[in-house]
Amino acid sequence: MAKYGIFNTSVENLFQEFKRGFFLVCEQDLVRLFRPEELQGVLVGQDVHDWEKFKQNTSYGWRYHDRHPTIQMFWEVFDELTEEQRKDFLLQVLPSLTALTELDVSSNKEVGGVVHLLVSALPATQMRRLPFNSCYMSNESFTALALAVSYLRTVDISWCKVVGGHLALLLDALQPSVVSELRLCSCELTTDDMQHLAAVCRRGCLSSLRALDLSYNSLVGDNGWCSLFAAGGLGSLEDVDVSLRPSTSAPCSAWLPALLRALPQMPALARLAMQRWTADCQEREQLRYCLKKRSVLLERDPDLQDTSSTCKGNSQESLEESQPEEIGADRTGIYCQRATHFVALLLFF
């Protein structure tokens, strides 16, 4: 109860803002006419799950496979159940799976509506991987997920827009030195979110992190990226992606120096993706030189690589343009020297 009390207190301000905005668009007296499940049905709609996708994501152990007679019989019975019976079945079965350490529910658009039930049914203390990428989640479901995230080693909530502006709720629940993979692609993160992530790194809570995906978050300002790279605490990081969407581009000049200073503190780094970020010739050469010494794979947009080649080409052209003058100067010296020898011979005779 103490844990839930602390958690409720930590999100009280966020909830009050959500509540105030909710009653701006929904009449408060009208809302009181509905029971909770009825109100959810009116606002969100019915929870209809993609059970075919659920089947496809199911993996089998020991000697079982998707064509095994026992497995086929199971799915035949499962298909005959109603929607509510299938949900109840999962909620009753999951707690009995005492050895369950990971469950992939990605790409199920409607699973966000039952996150709180799913999390409460899972053996949370032993769960290590629970991807929720490409799942529609409400504020309520995102809050429920934060309760279970402290035990996860892989946190993947990419393409969940509700994360933007509320990342602190998730990060504050993390256990120090547990998470090894954090994927927040296209979550509409803000500069404040990135600064909070930097503060968590500074405290050493992500010292075991090996993969960090922050791509497609164009709302983050230069101060946010500077804060992250200046924070430190990412000594185990092997893979980082800060790429922008293919349809956008932006200069990285403001935060690139912070990244260059942070590279020596990331000895395990093997891949850096920063597609659609632009830089001038000198900045690109500095980055390429620092990463080449470390054998780090740099992934940049092809257009930017072509620009870099053009930059080299321009330098080469400058050299070539200066060569004729140097050659001409050399030839003039030779001609003068020969003329001097010729005059000397004439005087001798």
Side-chain angles (χ1 to χ4, degrees):
M1 290 299 293
K3 179 179 179 180
Y4 283 95
I6 295 173
F7 182 78
N8 290 338
T9 303
S10 66
V11 300
E12 182 178 0
N13 292 335
L14 292 175
F15 175 76
Q16 291 300 330
E17 290 299 316
F18 168 76
K19 179 180 177 181
R20 184 177 64 84
F22 180 80
F23 285 125
L24 286 177
V25 296
C26 296
E27 181 63 37
Q28 189 167 359
D29 293 335
L30 183 62
V31 170
R32 291 196 180 97
L33 299 176
F34 296 93
R35 292 194 298 270
E37 60 273 13
E38 293 175 338
L39 183 61
Q40 180 178 354
V42 172
L43 297 178
V44 181
Q46 297 297 321
D47 291 331
V48 179
H49 304 282
D50 189 349
W51 297 110
E52 289 301 320
K53 180 69 70 174
F54 178 75
K55 290 182 184 180
Q56 295 172 12
N57 290 339
T58 302
S59 58
Y60 307 94
W62 197 35
R63 58 186 178 88
Y64 293 104
H65 50 81
D66 58 349
R67 295 185 179 181
H68 192 280
T70 302
I71 299 299
Q72 290 183 337
M73 289 174 59
F74 167 79
W75 288 122
E76 288 177 2
V77 174
F78 188 83
D79 289 340
E80 294 177 357
L81 300 177
T82 65
E83 186 78 10
E84 292 301 321
Q85 287 175 332
R86 292 176 183 178
K87 296 177 187 177
D88 292 340
F89 171 79
L90 289 180
L91 295 177
Q92 292 176 13
V93 169
L94 289 175
S96 65
L97 302 178
T98 55
L100 185 66
T101 59
E102 67 176 74
L103 179 64
D104 190 350
V105 294
S106 302
S107 301
N108 284 282
K109 299 297 183 182
E110 303 298 334
V111 77
V114 293
V115 169
H116 55 294
L117 297 175
L118 182 62
V119 169
S120 62
L122 290 171
T125 56
Q126 66 185 38
M127 292 299 298
R128 297 296 176 262
R129 185 170 181 270
L130 185 62
F132 272 92
N133 61 295
S134 301
C135 294
Y136 171 79
M137 285 198 291
S138 61
N139 288 333
E140 179 186 10
S141 55
F142 180 66
T143 301
L145 178 61
L147 290 174
V149 76
S150 59
Y151 303 101
L152 299 178
R153 294 182 180 175
T154 297
V155 179
D156 186 355
I157 48 177
S158 297
W159 303 94
C160 296
K161 308 304 183 184
V162 72
V163 181
H166 303 93
L167 185 61
L169 182 64
L170 187 75
L171 295 177
D172 290 344
L174 295 176
Q175 292 289 339
S177 304
V178 172
V179 177
S180 62
E181 187 174 339
L182 180 59
R183 301 197 176 276
L184 302 168
C185 172
S186 191
C187 288
E188 295 189 354
L189 300 182
T190 64
T191 299
D192 288 342
D193 289 327
M194 201 62 65
Q195 290 176 339
H196 198 90
L197 177 60
V200 172
C201 293
R202 200 175 297 114
R203 294 198 300 267
C205 296
L206 297 178
S207 59
S208 298
L209 193 67
R210 292 183 296 176
L212 177 61
D213 186 355
L214 299 171
S215 58
Y216 295 7
N217 286 291
S218 57
L219 296 180
V220 178
D222 292 333
N223 290 337
W225 296 114
C226 286
S227 299
L228 176 64
F229 293 123
L234 295 173
S236 300
L237 195 62
E238 301 174 3
D239 187 297
V240 59
D241 193 341
V242 296
S243 301
L244 297 176
R245 295 180 184 275
S247 59
T248 62
S249 64
C252 63
S253 302
W255 54 265
L256 185 60
L259 172 61
L260 296 177
R261 290 191 296 268
L263 287 176
Q265 303 175 31
M266 296 186 283
L269 188 65
R271 172 181 173 267
L272 171 62
M274 46 185 300
Q275 296 179 359
R276 303 307 298 168
W277 286 104
T278 60
D280 61 33
C281 295
Q282 183 178 1
E283 292 168 341
R284 287 196 294 271
E285 289 303 320
Q286 289 177 342
L287 178 61
R288 187 180 295 106
Y289 177 74
C290 291
L291 297 180
K292 186 177 181 180
K293 292 194 303 182
R294 299 266 306 279
S295 299
V296 177
L297 174 62
L298 174 62
E299 293 186 4
R300 296 178 62 245
D301 188 82
D303 293 337
L304 299 182
Q305 292 176 0
D306 292 341
T307 304
S308 179
S309 300
T310 303
C311 179
K312 288 184 177 180
N314 292 337
S315 300
Q316 185 66 26
E317 290 175 2
S318 299
L319 286 174
E320 292 176 354
E321 289 174 358
S322 64
Q323 285 178 356
E325 297 179 359
E326 296 174 357
I327 293 174
D330 291 341
R331 287 179 178 175
T332 301
I334 292 172
Y335 292 153
C336 290
Q337 185 178 10
R338 289 179 179 177
T340 302
H341 287 301
F342 182 70
V343 172
L345 289 172
L346 289 176
L347 292 174
F348 177 77
F349 287 111

